[in-house]
Amino acid sequence: MKKFVLKLGLFVVLVVGIYLSGVAAGQLLPPQYTNSFNASLLDKMERAEDIEEPKLLVIGGSNIVFGINSRLLEEEFQMPVVNMGVNAGMMSEFQLNVAKKYIREGDIVILGFEYGAYTSEQMNPTTAWYTIENYPELWRCVPNMEKPALLRFYPYYFGEKLIAFLKGGDQIPDQPEYVRTNFDEYGDFSFYRKENVRKDIARNTVIQEAEIEDNVIEKINEFCEEAGKKGVTVYLTFPALDEECVASSPQDIEEFEKKIRESVDCPVISRCHTYIMESKFFYDTNYHLNTEGAKIRTKLLISDMRDKIF
């Protein structure tokens, strides 16, 4: 029996050693997705780090990436703006962890997560590794509960990374406009989006109180507490959403909003219905506004901020 246990232990050590060697080999390769959509986060982080005066950070998933005109916000409130939006597959907790590194006294933070972010989330491993790559500062922002799953996925990522390396890196995505070079200096997605390019829109976005998970609220409130200690004020708004995709009743939406207001430890400056907008203002998903839609949504946010903050 002892020999069996010893052999099993040696086998486990060998397997783990081989696995860790593979991880190390993968990390020796340089980053291969430096012009990807989420690689824009590196530029956003650099901008947030470089701004020494009080700034306005807007945090959320791709509804923020596609839905904010930061220049309008900056001109209105005379504060430098950083659009910290990133693919929602990175989870709200990751987004908050990144923001914690850059908030300073006098800053204002606007949280604008997608409705799905209030449910029990899981990080998309493909999106995660294409974002994290070789950057330890991003790995440290990954929620601890997500790290085992990402490590299990690493062999697939390593294979993809190796193929990209052999092909010369920075492969063109399926949607060629989804690249880092289409972001402006604020972190907004500046590629001109004329109209809604979708042919079919399904009513598949649920907005219900029952969908809200306590652990998500807990992470938001932890962020608010830490921000408060640093002299940073935090506010919450709601995402822009295509009205044709809404699968919940007005009463359901009211109850959802009420629950959020009662649960988060920061002022909620907006109403859900304000940002449920006509389909013509969207681009290619339920949450991605086109260029005109982003201006309209930003003006709505400016109005909310004038009423509740400034």
Side-chain angles (χ1 to χ4, degrees), residues 42-259:
L42 301 172
D43 303 317
K44 299 166 189 264
M45 293 163 64
E46 182 177 2
R47 175 171 169 81
E49 176 68 28
D50 289 346
I51 296 173
E52 297 181 355
E53 61 191 291
K55 58 187 177 293
L56 174 61
L57 294 173
V58 191
I59 299 170
S62 57
N63 92 90
I64 296 298
V65 175
F66 285 78
I68 294 296
N69 185 315
S70 294
R71 189 180 300 277
L72 290 179
L73 282 174
E74 187 166 287
E75 290 173 353
E76 178 67 29
F77 300 115
Q78 295 300 297
M79 292 182 72
V81 177
V82 187
N83 183 332
M84 295 294 290
V86 67
N87 187 298
M90 295 303 295
M91 294 180 61
S92 58
E93 186 178 350
F94 173 86
Q95 297 161 27
L96 293 171
N97 288 343
V98 171
K100 287 176 186 178
K101 297 162 60 68
Y102 302 105
I103 53 175
R104 304 187 187 103
E105 184 176 2
D107 288 352
I108 294 174
V109 173
I110 304 293
L111 305 178
F113 301 118
E114 284 81 357
Y115 290 109
Y118 292 100
T119 68
S120 184
E121 301 176 286
Q122 286 187 322
M123 186 170 279
N124 181 302
T126 303
T127 301
W129 277 118
Y130 285 9
T131 304
I132 298 163
E133 292 236 70
N134 297 44
Y135 307 108
E137 65 272 28
L138 291 181
W139 175 254
R140 287 192 288 269
C141 293
V142 173
N144 288 332
M145 65 178 182
E146 295 296 318
K147 288 179 177 177
L150 293 193
L151 287 173
R152 288 194 297 271
F153 190 82
Y154 191 86
Y156 173 83
Y157 162 68
F158 174 62
E160 292 291 300
K161 185 178 185 181
L162 180 59
I163 291 170
F165 175 74
L166 295 174
K167 289 183 176 180
D170 280 335
Q171 304 303 301
I172 297 173
D174 293 336
Q175 294 172 278
E177 70 269 28
Y178 275 49
V179 291
R180 181 179 183 176
T181 48
N182 276 334
F183 285 77
D184 65 18
E185 67 269 29
Y186 299 102
D188 297 348
F189 189 67
S190 58
F191 178 83
Y192 181 70
R193 310 176 300 283
K194 182 180 180 180
E195 57 192 359
N196 196 331
V197 298
R198 291 182 295 170
K199 295 180 180 179
D200 299 305
I201 302 173
R203 290 195 177 275
N204 57 7
T205 302
V206 176
I207 309 171
Q208 291 183 335
E209 177 188 353
E211 297 287 312
I212 301 171
E213 292 286 345
D214 291 341
N215 65 304
V216 176
I217 299 299
E218 180 182 335
K219 295 303 178 183
I220 292 174
N221 289 341
E222 287 176 2
F223 175 82
C224 292
E225 180 179 6
E226 183 169 335
K229 291 177 180 179
K230 293 182 177 182
V232 176
T233 51
V234 182
Y235 301 91
L236 189 142
T237 187
F238 293 106
L241 183 66
D242 189 328
E243 64 181 6
E244 292 190 25
C245 78
V246 178
S248 301
S249 68
Q251 182 177 351
D252 286 338
I253 297 171
E254 287 286 340
E255 291 173 354
F256 174 93
E257 181 180 319
K258 180 181 178 183
K259 178 67 173 178

